[in-house]
Amino acid sequence: MKLRLESFGELRLIDPAGKPAAFPEKGLLAICYLLDRDLREGAGSEFPRSALARFLWDSHDNSDIMANLRKTISRVQARQTQLGTELLIFTATGVRVRPDAFAGDLSELVNPDSDDALGKLRRLVTVLRQDFLAGLTDQSVGTRQWIAGQRDRHMSILVDALKTALPAARSREDVSLIKEAALRIFREAPDDENIRRILLDAYESEGQLEKARRLFETSKHQLESKFEIGLDVQALAEVRKIFAGGQPAQSVAMPLSDGDVRVPGPLPRLVLLPPGETDVGALPMLSEALIEDVTIGLCALNTVSVVAPHTAARIARNADRTELILRHSITYVLDTRLTDRAGNRALFVQLIHAGSDEVIWAERFSLEKYELISHRRDIARQIARELAGQVRRHETMRDSFEGNSAAYHSYLLGLRDIKRLALPDVRRSRKAFREALQHSAHFAPALSGLSRTFLVEWLLTARGDSELLGLAEDYANRAIVADPSLAAGFRELGVAKLYLGDLDESVVALKLAEELSPHYADGIASYADTLVHASRPADALAKIERAISLNPLTPTDYLWTAAGANFALGHYAEALEQISAMDDRTPADRLSAACWAMLGDMKNARIYMRKVREIYPDFDVDKWLSVVPFKEQWQKEQYRVALRKAGF
């Protein structure tokens, strides 16, 4: 009996006895990637090592990812020797997979059509009960994109098999199989008219129309039955006609018909901001019309209130957007920017939760003439889907905001001040967060904000005050208890653990923050900062570039982290470029002095050394290095040498 590779659900290797066999995760991922490539393009070709390294790790440092690959290859070869078989074959320049050395569930998707239509569908339903690589950890951007594409392809295969099997379904068992397949597709595409019709027929044949009604009503937020752009509501209308046979027509027509009588609360408000001034030709008029078009369509939603385009345009042009967003009680902001890269004109959009300043979702859409209509549908569809999920996820926070406007107001003031990275602003921010907590003692965003003020003060003062870190950790834990779905609490806990020296716990907390909110730019930036201190500067640089792509009007602390990662990599000029882009460079004066010193420019090094001394006359290199955690000693020595050269 062969080894078996399971890739749907948890990625694992099963030995002939049916037990999990240890194997490097990156090695298993490489097997999946190469096997899929061979199955679809023809077996046998060798895949370049460099291309595999770029797939497995996100980094601009080729030497770094090749070193990672060499370590992985060494671990894979050692494990293959223990297993007595070769799953992957490595040459000096390439790698290929040996599909004859193991069996795998991935092969089930590309087997010849030897089964009859119902047999093939049954096999696919069994394989696709779980998502492809659902349990995979530590994914690169390239890996995530590949997995998403694979899952889309798998659903297409299942849809085709379902269509083929439908005419052959006769028995109760056949109908049950059809229903299971349709439910699996419905989970991914609740707006698909054909799938809804198939489900209706299946439930009706079983005499279970009431179950179908509950299914559709439960998924109404995904379906957005009132949404008239991109989603075909005709099928849902047909569903309601069927149900109306045994129910009063009025109850069927109600958008929220769950049998309860309740007074709806205030809907969260969404504003779609048109792009600002740009120099990319006729795009402003085109994109503003597109955004207005989407806004009008979104007005049909029953889960969100949309700010009119005229007001949205005025907010976009105002110098103090935060004040207007607060004044108009806006919960979500869709910010837009026009880009033109090498003639590729696009609209960059990011959906932001105004209260936490969290980037929930970001995407780039082409504005080429022949793609505009289809992308208008894509933009509208994706915004609606993201809103449906994110409004539910932020419900607790939203109730706190709208139920206590005084707490919300104080919180926004604190959020504004904490971004400036100067001690007076940090302390003013702390006062505002404390005022928010006086109005609402368990307001998780204010608790996490308060935690951040202590962290930033500890960082700015460089005195190693452990009491500040203890307070930061305490308030982060309180935020997590108040709302465990809030990524910001885990972010602050991760940063506190970093400076307390618990690097492993810091990485775990920040990884969880990223999993809770994959588009949370600030959380990803903090994750990058921790990776710098964990002596993984190349990984840190990839993470901070991801954060910057989500938050392109880049905050100062992102640039500081990017500069720190470049410094650790020995890219001193690049680090200085990042510092020069900061609105306030004062917090990075110490790092500037170190960079200039390592570049041999003692004049500039001394200038920045004196600036640091003016603010912190008692700054001591050894004391500072004793409290700033670095996982590996080389990183401390690099800073010590640089700062000593600079004159500290």
Side-chain angles (χ1 to χ4, degrees):
M1 184 176 175
K2 291 182 179 180
L3 292 165
R4 177 172 175 80
L5 178 65
E6 295 184 352
S7 56
F8 288 85
E10 183 179 354
L11 176 60
R12 59 182 184 170
L13 191 65
I14 304 299
D15 67 18
K19 296 180 180 179
F23 203 87
E25 185 178 71
K26 293 291 189 186
L28 293 179
L29 176 58
I31 292 171
C32 288
Y33 181 66
L34 296 174
L35 179 62
D36 169 71
R37 180 175 169 272
D38 285 355
L39 289 171
R40 289 192 293 120
E41 300 178 11
S45 59
E46 185 176 282
F47 195 66
R49 283 192 177 199
S50 57
L52 181 62
R54 285 193 297 273
F55 170 74
L56 294 173
W57 292 279
D58 291 322
S59 176
H60 292 289
D61 190 331
N62 191 59
S63 62
D64 184 70
I65 62 173
M66 293 307 293
N68 288 341
L69 182 63
R70 285 192 292 273
K71 291 177 185 176
T72 297
I73 290 173
S74 177
R75 293 174 60 210
V76 167
Q77 289 176 326
R79 186 60 183 134
Q80 289 185 158
T81 299
Q82 293 170 353
L83 292 171
T85 188
E86 276 189 317
L87 308 180
L88 289 169
I89 299 174
F90 300 98
T91 68
T93 58
V95 57
R96 70 177 188 270
V97 66
R98 278 194 58 198
D100 60 325
F102 62 95
D105 50 13
L106 194 58
S107 301
E108 295 290 324
L109 299 179
V110 292
N111 278 349
D113 296 332
S114 54
D115 297 337
D116 59 31
L118 287 167
K120 179 179 179 181
L121 181 63
R122 186 170 287 107
R123 175 164 48 83
L124 290 174
V125 166
T126 300
V127 173
L128 295 172
R129 284 197 175 108
Q130 297 187 76
D131 286 333
F132 180 59
L133 298 180
L136 187 65
T137 60
D138 194 23
Q139 301 174 22
S140 69
V141 173
T143 302
R144 285 197 297 272
Q145 291 173 344
W146 174 71
I147 291 173
Q150 291 299 99
R151 290 175 181 172
D152 288 344
R153 191 171 65 85
H154 298 160
M155 283 300 102
S156 296
I157 293 171
L158 184 59
V159 168
D160 290 342
L162 176 59
K163 290 177 180 177
T164 303
L166 265 175
R170 295 286 185 272
S171 67
R172 185 181 298 272
E173 183 181 358
D174 294 344
V175 171
S176 179
L177 173 64
I178 294 294
K179 185 177 70 175
E180 186 177 0
L183 283 170
R184 178 66 183 90
I185 298 165
F186 180 81
R187 195 171 86 196
E188 303 298 327
D191 59 314
D192 190 298
E193 173 190 355
N194 293 322
I195 295 302
R196 292 199 300 269
R197 289 183 181 278
I198 291 169
L199 283 172
L200 269 176
D201 290 342
Y203 278 113
E204 186 176 20
S205 70
E206 296 174 340
Q208 295 181 333
L209 270 179
E210 177 60 22
K211 284 189 177 181
R213 186 191 71 81
R214 288 200 299 269
L215 173 68
F216 288 124
E217 288 299 330
T218 299
S219 65
K220 62 182 173 291
H221 292 292
Q222 288 85 9
L223 291 171
E224 296 300 347
S225 60
K226 295 291 185 179
F227 185 48
E228 296 176 354
I229 296 178
L231 303 183
D232 187 346
V233 299
Q234 183 177 356
L236 195 56
E238 294 300 317
V239 173
R240 287 174 171 164
K241 286 179 185 177
I242 295 172
F243 296 147
Q247 301 177 17
Q250 185 178 4
S251 67
V252 175
M254 290 292 287
L256 294 173
S257 54
D258 59 2
D260 293 335
V261 177
R262 61 179 180 272
V263 177
L267 293 175
R269 303 193 76 195
L270 165 70
V271 62
L272 290 84
L273 303 181
E277 294 182 4
T278 181
D279 56 356
V280 284
L283 282 183
M285 183 188 307
L286 184 64
S287 57
E288 284 188 25
L290 174 62
I291 292 299
E292 182 168 346
D293 199 23
V294 173
T295 303
I296 293 169
L298 284 169
C299 289
L301 286 173
N302 57 22
T303 54
V304 68
S305 172
V306 183
V307 175
H310 175 74
T311 297
R314 293 190 63 178
I315 292 174
R317 291 193 296 267
N318 196 284
D320 192 353
R321 290 185 183 182
T322 302
E323 174 60 29
L324 286 179
I325 288 168
L326 174 62
R327 184 190 307 169
H328 294 287
S329 302
I330 291 168
T331 315
Y332 295 95
V333 178
L334 187 82
D335 207 0
T336 62
R337 263 189 329 120
L338 293 165
T339 62
D340 189 356
R341 297 181 178 178
N344 182 19
R345 302 179 300 172
L347 178 70
F348 177 78
V349 300
Q350 55 181 359
L351 183 63
I352 302 166
H353 185 261
S356 62
D357 206 30
E358 175 184 349
V359 177
I360 297 169
W361 167 73
E363 189 57 87
R364 194 179 304 275
F365 297 94
S366 171
L367 288 179
E368 294 302 317
K369 180 172 65 173
Y370 297 109
E371 298 177 345
L372 182 56
I373 294 176
S374 64
H375 279 111
R376 173 213 170 199
R377 293 170 62 90
D378 289 342
I379 293 170
R381 187 189 301 256
Q382 291 191 45
I383 292 172
R385 287 176 176 170
E386 290 298 331
L387 279 172
Q390 293 302 329
V391 166
R392 286 195 300 275
R393 190 169 71 81
H394 283 275
E395 195 66 22
T396 301
M397 187 187 303
R398 186 174 69 84
D399 288 344
S400 298
F401 287 166
E402 297 180 351
N404 195 327
S405 58
Y408 186 28
H409 180 271
S410 296
Y411 168 71
L412 285 181
L413 293 176
L415 199 64
R416 177 194 64 189
D417 291 333
I418 192 61
K419 295 177 181 178
R420 296 196 178 102
L421 292 181
L423 276 177
D425 295 302
V426 169
R427 287 165 179 166
R428 188 161 49 248
S429 172
R430 183 177 303 149
K431 180 181 177 183
F433 287 137
R434 281 180 167 153
E435 287 174 354
L437 293 172
Q438 287 174 0
H439 296 293
S440 179
H442 301 292
F443 187 29
L447 288 166
S448 65
L450 198 54
S451 172
R452 172 136 290 260
T453 67
F454 293 115
L455 290 167
V456 175
E457 180 171 345
W458 181 89
L459 196 60
L460 291 175
T461 55
R463 291 197 298 265
D465 189 341
S466 59
E467 183 181 357
L468 290 172
L469 293 180
L471 288 167
E473 182 182 18
D474 178 54
Y475 279 104
N477 280 318
R478 291 190 197 183
I480 292 168
V481 170
D483 184 359
S485 70
L486 182 67
F490 288 98
R491 174 209 182 189
E492 306 310 341
L493 179 63
V495 177
K497 289 292 187 182
L498 163 65
Y499 293 118
L500 286 166
D502 299 330
L503 283 167
D504 292 337
E505 290 187 39
S506 174
V507 169
V508 169
L510 288 161
K511 190 170 186 178
L512 182 54
E514 186 178 30
E515 289 172 356
L516 283 170
S517 190
H519 298 284
Y520 180 24
D522 288 348
I524 296 171
S526 292
Y527 195 176
D529 187 41
T530 284
L531 291 173
V532 171
H533 291 273
S535 302
R536 294 168 55 187
D539 293 337
L541 197 57
K543 285 287 182 190
I544 197 62
E545 287 173 352
R546 164 70 174 154
I548 290 171
S549 73
L550 289 169
N551 201 357
L553 300 178
T554 311
T556 294
D557 56 328
Y558 288 28
L559 296 168
W560 195 355
T561 297
N566 275 304
F567 177 84
L569 290 167
H571 304 160
Y572 305 119
E574 289 86 345
L576 288 168
E577 282 182 21
Q578 298 286 356
I579 294 170
S580 69
M582 294 168 63
D583 292 332
D584 180 8
R585 305 172 195 173
T586 303
D589 283 348
R590 187 169 50 241
L591 183 56
S592 294
C595 288
W596 284 117
M598 296 301 277
L599 288 170
D601 189 333
M602 292 302 119
K603 179 181 178 181
N604 274 314
R606 294 290 192 273
I607 289 173
Y608 284 100
M609 181 273 292
R610 286 191 288 271
K611 285 185 175 183
V612 174
R613 288 290 190 204
E614 288 173 6
I615 301 173
Y616 308 112
D618 299 328
F619 175 74
D620 181 87
V621 173
D622 291 327
K623 182 180 178 181
W624 180 70
L625 287 173
S626 71
V627 296
V628 176
F630 290 112
K631 189 165 188 177
E632 296 183 12
Q633 187 62 29
W634 67 262
Q635 214 166 354
K636 288 197 176 191
E637 289 305 315
Q638 182 188 29
Y639 265 107
R640 179 178 283 108
V641 169
L643 292 173
R644 292 295 186 203
K645 280 186 176 181
F648 287 102

